[in-house]
């Protein structure tokens, strides 16, 4: 293929692409609407050069073309083609442009504008009918005249309003879809961040402890300072990990910590199950990630208690035993079966166990001494440094 032919083909392809893109754009649709309206009005040109006006076929065509051209403003200024349509209605008895104008008002300005424009159109048409200059052939009576004018306006505006509402519904659906996608992405990021924190944080903790042990063993030796620096570096890395993943999380999606247990207890009371929460003061020094894990465990336990033992007292005890965090949730077994079968997927306990196991802990759940007891034990970890 010669360079000249190749250049021509590229030019043709580019022109086609741009034309196709422009044809689907709103300005192109406005131009098409104007041309469609003009094509319909041209059919009336032979009758417009009658005794009721001084236009010829050429001038009538020009006037109608200018009126139809105002439809290119139907999105930005739909009242302009509406006003021009009323002028053509009184001057040339032309009803085509008013249909496009009323549709445009309903489509791009909504129901209020469409109804107002329709009422104005009918009022103007009624006033024009009573003018002595209007020809008698326009209608034999007022009822026959309005039976022609009113349906045209109502139908055109109604179709436009329906299209406007359809556009709103479609935009709302699109917005909901975008929101769902963003939420899914955000949830996935939070999940990945927690997994990273659990895995990397645990390894950093092991590294810190190991470095501290080696530093103690090397006391008085030439490597004591090196091991101390290594332990401090690991601690700072762990704190930075907490700060990046936990402290900077979106507050709207971040899981509450121990401070949120009071709200859970209030929710349990609202569901008819008294809840007593006991939290060791030292537990508030846990990292935000561990507090979030405790919150989720307690939340699931209270939900299960409300479903399977409604009305029974639930006790929640959170304590620290050295480097071990312990969460115990108990509720008496119900005296009688619930009146209705509880709605349950059966995966709540498994989810709690996986969350605790991911942080190096264990969780047991079952009946004990006439009560249902959930016990979660996991490493307490280290509290991130402030600020």
């Amino acid at each position: 293929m010669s360079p000249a032919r190749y250049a021509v083909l590229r030019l043709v392809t580019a022109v086609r692409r741009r034309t196709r893109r422009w044809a689907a754009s709103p300005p192109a649709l406005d131009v098409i609407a104007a041309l469609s309206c003009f094509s319909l009005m041209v059919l009336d040109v032979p009758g417009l050069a009658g005794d009721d006006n001084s236009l010829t076929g050429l001038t009538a065509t020009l006037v109608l073309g200018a009126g139809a051209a105002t439809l290119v403003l139907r999105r930005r200024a739909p009242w302009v083609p509406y006003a021009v349509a009323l002028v053509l209605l009184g001057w040339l008895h032309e009803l085509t442009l008013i249909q496009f104008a009323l549709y445009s008002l309903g489509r791009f300005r909504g129901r209020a504008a469409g109804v107002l424009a329709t009422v104005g159109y009918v009022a103007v048409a009624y006033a024009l009918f009573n003018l002595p200059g209007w020809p008698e052939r326009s209608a034999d009576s007022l009822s026959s005249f309005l039976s022609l004018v009113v349906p045209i306006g109502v139908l055109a505006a109604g179709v436009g309003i329906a299209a406007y509402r359809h556009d709103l519904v479609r935009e709302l659906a699109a917005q909901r879809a975008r929101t769902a996608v963003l939420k899914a992405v955000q949830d996935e990021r939070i999940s990945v961040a927690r997994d990273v924190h659990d895995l990397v944080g645990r390894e950093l903790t092991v590294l810190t402890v190991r470095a501290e042990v080696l530093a103690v063993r090397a006391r008085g030796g030439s490597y004591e300072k090196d091991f101390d620096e290594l332990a401090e570096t690991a601690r700072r890395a762990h704190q930075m990990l907490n700060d990046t993943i936990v402290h900077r999380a979106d507050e709207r999606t971040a899981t509450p910590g121990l401070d949120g247990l009071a709200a859970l207890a209030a929710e349990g009371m609202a569901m008819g199950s008294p809840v007593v929460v006991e939290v060791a003061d030292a537990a508030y020094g846990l990292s935000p990630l561990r507090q979030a894990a405790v919150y989720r465990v307690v939340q699931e336990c209270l939900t299960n208690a409300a479903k399977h033992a409604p009305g029974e007292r639930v006790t929640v005890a959170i304590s620290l035993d050295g480097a071990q965090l312990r969460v115990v949730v108990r509720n008496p077994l119900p005296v009688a079966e619930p009146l209705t079968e509880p709605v349950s997927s059966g995966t709540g306990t498994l989810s709690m166990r996986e969350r605790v196991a991911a942080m190096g802990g264990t969780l047991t759940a079952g009946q004990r001494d006439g009560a249902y007891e959930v016990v979660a034990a996991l490493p307490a970890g280290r509290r991130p440094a402030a600020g």
Side-chain angles (χ1 to χ4, degrees):
M1 181 183 297
S2 63
R5 185 174 182 181
Y6 177 73
V8 171
L9 288 177
R10 288 195 59 183
L11 177 61
V12 171
T13 302
V15 170
R16 286 179 178 176
R17 187 182 301 114
R18 290 180 178 273
T19 302
R20 193 179 301 113
R21 189 182 302 122
W22 180 84
S25 65
L29 296 178
D30 294 339
V31 171
I32 293 174
L35 292 175
S36 300
C37 179
F38 177 67
S39 299
L40 293 174
M41 289 194 296
V42 166
L43 299 177
D44 297 332
V45 169
L48 294 180
D51 298 334
D52 58 327
N53 60 70
S54 58
L55 295 178
T56 63
L58 176 61
T59 55
T61 301
L62 295 176
V63 169
L64 295 179
T70 60
L71 286 174
V72 297
L73 304 174
R74 67 192 189 117
R75 297 175 191 269
R76 293 170 295 173
W79 292 102
V80 172
Y82 174 76
V84 173
L86 293 182
V87 172
L88 293 182
L89 175 66
W91 180 18
L92 304 177
H93 316 140
E94 177 59 54
L95 294 174
T96 303
L97 181 58
I98 192 64
Q99 298 176 58
F100 282 80
L102 288 174
Y103 169 83
S104 300
L105 278 166
R107 174 69 183 274
F108 302 113
R109 289 298 182 269
R111 181 173 60 183
V115 172
L116 178 62
T118 303
V119 172
Y121 155 69
V122 173
V124 170
Y126 174 74
L128 292 174
F129 177 82
N130 290 284
L131 291 179
W134 267 52
E136 296 180 359
R137 65 175 182 274
S138 60
D140 296 332
S141 65
L142 177 62
S143 60
S144 61
F145 175 71
L146 293 181
S147 66
L148 172 66
V149 169
V150 173
I152 288 178
V154 172
L155 180 61
V159 173
I161 294 171
Y164 176 79
R165 296 187 64 180
H166 177 73
D167 290 343
L168 291 181
V169 171
R170 185 170 55 186
E171 179 62 26
L172 179 60
Q175 182 63 36
R176 286 177 175 174
R178 289 193 294 268
T179 302
V181 171
L182 292 176
K183 185 178 184 303
V185 172
Q186 181 68 13
D187 291 345
E188 182 65 19
R189 286 178 176 175
I190 293 175
S191 177
V192 171
R194 288 172 177 167
D195 291 341
V196 170
H197 185 280
D198 291 344
L199 298 175
V200 179
R202 185 178 180 184
E203 297 301 323
L204 286 175
T205 301
V206 173
L207 177 61
T208 304
V209 173
R210 183 62 177 163
E212 290 174 347
V213 171
L214 293 176
V216 171
R217 292 179 179 177
R219 286 282 167 82
S222 58
Y223 297 105
E224 177 183 359
K225 182 179 179 181
D226 296 332
F227 284 122
D228 286 338
E229 291 178 354
L230 178 61
E232 180 61 25
T233 301
R235 282 193 292 270
R236 286 200 307 268
H238 201 176
Q239 292 167 6
M240 291 174 63
L241 184 66
N242 281 335
D243 182 69
T244 301
I245 293 180
V246 180
H247 291 267
R248 296 181 183 178
D250 191 340
E251 294 181 357
R252 294 170 298 179
T253 56
T255 302
L258 297 182
D259 293 336
L261 296 181
L264 287 182
E267 291 178 1
M269 292 290 292
M271 291 187 291
S273 299
V275 180
V276 178
V277 180
E278 297 180 358
V279 183
D281 293 337
Y284 289 98
L286 295 172
S287 68
L289 192 69
R290 281 169 174 75
Q291 292 194 33
V294 173
Y295 177 91
R296 289 303 187 194
V297 169
V298 174
Q299 183 183 46
E300 183 63 30
C301 290
L302 295 183
T303 301
N304 290 338
K307 290 190 295 186
H308 299 283
E312 299 293 341
R313 176 188 177 93
V314 183
T315 60
V316 179
I318 301 171
S319 59
L320 280 174
D321 183 11
Q324 193 79 359
L325 169 64
R326 184 178 175 85
V327 181
V328 180
V329 183
R330 289 174 56 90
N331 63 269
L333 297 175
V335 178
E337 293 293 329
L339 297 178
T340 58
E341 184 70 18
V343 178
S344 176
S345 63
T347 60
T349 303
L350 177 61
S351 176
M352 288 190 296
R353 185 173 288 111
E354 288 180 346
R355 179 180 290 273
V356 173
M359 303 186 71
T362 59
L363 183 141
T364 59
Q367 299 181 14
R368 181 179 180 183
D369 298 333
Y372 190 84
E373 183 180 75
V374 176
V375 179
L378 60 156
R382 182 186 297 273
R383 181 181 180 180

